[in-house]
Amino acid sequence: FFFQAEDGIRDAQESRGLGDVYKRQVQLDPKMEEKAREIFEKGTAELEARLEKINFDPVEKPEELPCKAMIKITQKTLSLLAEGKQIYKCTISDKYPHLKFIRRSNNAFELHLGESQYVNMSAKDSLARDLISVSLQMFIGQIMAESDGGSESESQSEQDKNQD
């Protein structure tokens, strides 16, 4: 999962070995971070936003844009609903690393769903936008950690078989 606050800024000084490109980190409101943890612990999220633009052919097109939308996340899937109708659904592990959340100005963001699939959306305010971002990070991070752990144990089983 990729979270981009803004493009890196290069220092004029020579690098000291720790890297010379820095990204601005988002300062999280403690209440918002607590809310994101509650959502994550519940195992499912329904996060409201406004759908501004779609750059792919969805399963079902909304009658007009912009429109009310909802991002639904579970332990395995991400769905996008517009006007109460599902327009997109994917298995998160199948779309990683193409799933990206890119902050834009104020409350706007882009949600990249695949190599060439993305939607432009906006939240009611910047805190709601950041809640969507942090919630996505938590769910996707857990799925990727589980899949990495699973592949390690499978490769260990293969190594054990080969040693016998």
Side-chain angles (χ1 to χ4, degrees):
F1 182 74
F2 180 83
F3 176 76
Q4 178 179 334
E6 65 180 28
D7 291 334
I9 301 168
R10 186 168 297 279
D11 282 348
Q13 296 177 340
E14 194 173 314
S15 174
R16 292 177 292 220
L18 298 174
D20 59 353
V21 177
Y22 301 92
K23 290 201 181 226
R24 185 174 60 147
Q25 294 184 356
V26 177
Q27 295 296 321
L28 299 178
D29 178 90
K31 289 181 183 177
M32 188 274 303
E33 190 172 13
E34 182 180 323
K35 177 71 175 162
R37 288 198 192 288
E38 288 172 13
I39 289 170
F40 179 70
E41 289 171 4
K42 190 169 83 170
T44 185
E46 293 184 357
L47 305 162
E48 292 183 12
R50 189 162 177 77
L51 182 60
E52 306 287 343
K53 178 183 173 187
I54 306 171
N55 93 321
F56 62 94
D57 289 326
V59 175
E60 190 165 335
K61 284 192 174 197
E63 290 182 26
E64 63 180 61
L65 292 174
C67 67
K68 283 182 149 184
M70 180 158 317
I71 301 168
K72 290 180 103 174
I73 313 166
T74 68
Q75 299 291 337
K76 305 272 182 217
T77 62
L78 181 140
S79 302
L80 185 59
L81 288 81
E83 299 171 341
K85 299 173 187 170
Q86 182 174 295
I87 63 168
Y88 181 85
K89 183 175 183 178
C90 71
T91 302
I92 293 171
S93 59
D94 290 345
K95 290 294 182 174
Y96 183 83
H98 299 291
L99 286 174
K100 297 178 185 177
F101 180 97
I102 301 175
R103 288 178 42 173
R104 296 295 180 209
S105 61
N106 299 324
N107 57 346
F109 61 95
E110 285 181 15
L111 184 57
H112 289 247
L113 305 165
E115 283 187 65
S116 59
Q117 297 176 315
Y118 69 90
V119 292
N120 290 14
M121 302 184 82
S122 60
K124 67 180 179 180
D125 56 35
S126 60
L127 287 177
R129 180 204 56 210
D130 292 345
L131 178 62
I132 293 168
S133 170
V134 172
S135 298
L136 281 168
Q137 285 178 331
M138 287 179 172
F139 278 98
I140 292 170
Q142 177 190 15
I143 290 166
M144 293 304 98
E146 288 173 0
S147 68
D148 287 347
S151 63
E152 285 176 18
S153 62
E154 288 172 16
S155 63
Q156 184 63 42
S157 298
E158 287 297 317
Q159 288 176 1
D160 292 344
K161 285 179 187 175
N162 292 337
Q163 288 179 358
D164 290 338

